[in-house]
Amino acid sequence: MIVLITGASHTGKTLLAQRMLEKYKIPYLSIDHLKMGLIRSGQTELTPEDDEALTGYLWPIVREMIKTVIENKQNLIVEGCYIPFDWRKDFDEQYLQSIRFICLAMTEAYIDAHFAEIKAHSSDIEVRLDDADCTIQGLKEDNCAYIEGCRKYGEQVVMIDSNYQRTINKPIDQELVFV
């Protein structure tokens, strides 16, 4: 089984992947690690700020890795913001049966009430070297874009609107059947 975890910046995608790894003992792939490996090795001239172009560049690689994992009857959690909203079009039904999609997003009210807390936890799993560009308005816009993008393609969104820990634990507590 493949678990795709995507969502807006600072929602806890990597935290969720880490907790799922700990519970289910299956590895996760951080698309951010792949991105930085390609950028730092000079395999691309894209920069970490080229989000839209990075999705187009990274997704074909990640998509084919997902197919390979499924074909080999293996399990993998894939997390990152470089999963397109229309990802399903890239997979036949035989693959889709083995993929679970999770998108995390925060409500505007949650961001307003917990902005300092969100910033304080931004490096819980991976260190953010520079988080200066994280603003309330930027988080609201990013989260809104994920909510709208998922709705456009009929995807569910795990909405973080009050109790963060309880909300983030919901996908972990649902029993998953791995091969």
Side-chain angles (χ1 to χ4, degrees), residues 78-96:
V78 178
E79 70 86 13
C81 61
Y82 303 105
I83 299 168
F85 298 117
D86 63 346
W87 66 272
R88 288 182 187 272
K89 73 172 177 38
D90 294 326
F91 297 97
D92 294 335
E93 186 58 35
Q94 68 179 13
Y95 295 108
L96 289 171

Side-chain angles (χ1 to χ4, degrees), residues 3-171:
V3 178
L4 294 178
I5 303 172
T6 194
S9 179
H10 292 76
T11 55
K13 298 177 293 294
T14 308
L15 175 65
L16 177 57
Q18 179 68 35
R19 288 186 179 170
M20 290 182 117
L21 172 144
E22 292 166 2
K23 178 176 181 176
Y24 294 108
K25 309 294 187 241
I26 63 169
Y28 74 85
L29 167 70
S30 167
I31 302 174
D32 278 344
H33 292 168
L34 177 60
K35 168 189 78 176
M36 291 311 297
L38 291 164
I39 290 171
R40 288 180 171 178
S41 68
Q43 298 300 307
T44 180
E45 293 189 18
L46 295 172
T47 70
E49 288 77 34
D50 296 325
D51 285 339
E52 192 172 320
L54 281 164
T55 299
Y57 183 71
L58 295 168
W59 178 244
I61 298 165
V62 173
R63 176 191 69 217
E64 297 309 315
M65 291 171 69
I66 290 168
K67 289 178 182 177
T68 302
V69 169
I70 293 170
E71 290 161 357
N72 285 290
K73 297 181 178 16
Q74 296 170 320
N75 302 301
L76 183 65
I77 299 163
V78 178
E79 70 86 13
C81 61
Y82 303 105
I83 299 168
F85 298 117
D86 63 346
W87 66 272
R88 288 182 187 272
K89 73 172 177 38
D90 294 326
F91 297 97
D92 294 335
E93 186 58 35
Q94 68 179 13
Y95 295 108
L96 289 171
Q97 293 173 7
S98 298
I99 302 173
R100 175 152 181 247
F101 178 81
I102 301 169
C103 180
L104 301 175
M106 298 175 186
T107 64
E108 288 191 8
Y110 184 86
I111 294 168
D112 285 335
H114 300 275
F115 181 69
E117 194 176 339
I118 293 165
K119 291 273 288 190
H121 289 282
S122 66
S123 291
D124 281 358
I125 301 296
E126 294 179 342
V127 176
R128 292 180 188 265
L129 297 178
D130 182 11
D131 205 25
D133 63 339
C134 178
T135 64
I136 289 178
Q137 188 58 36
L139 283 180
K140 287 180 180 180
E141 290 170 5
D142 195 24
N143 280 270
C144 183
Y146 272 87
I147 293 165
E148 290 176 6
C150 283
R151 287 191 179 145
K152 178 178 177 181
Y153 289 97
E155 299 292 350
Q156 298 290 319
V157 178
V158 176
M159 293 299 297
I160 301 163
D161 61 358
S162 58
N163 186 312
Y164 181 85
Q165 291 302 324
R166 187 175 10 185
T167 304
I168 203 82
N169 283 333
K170 283 180 186 177

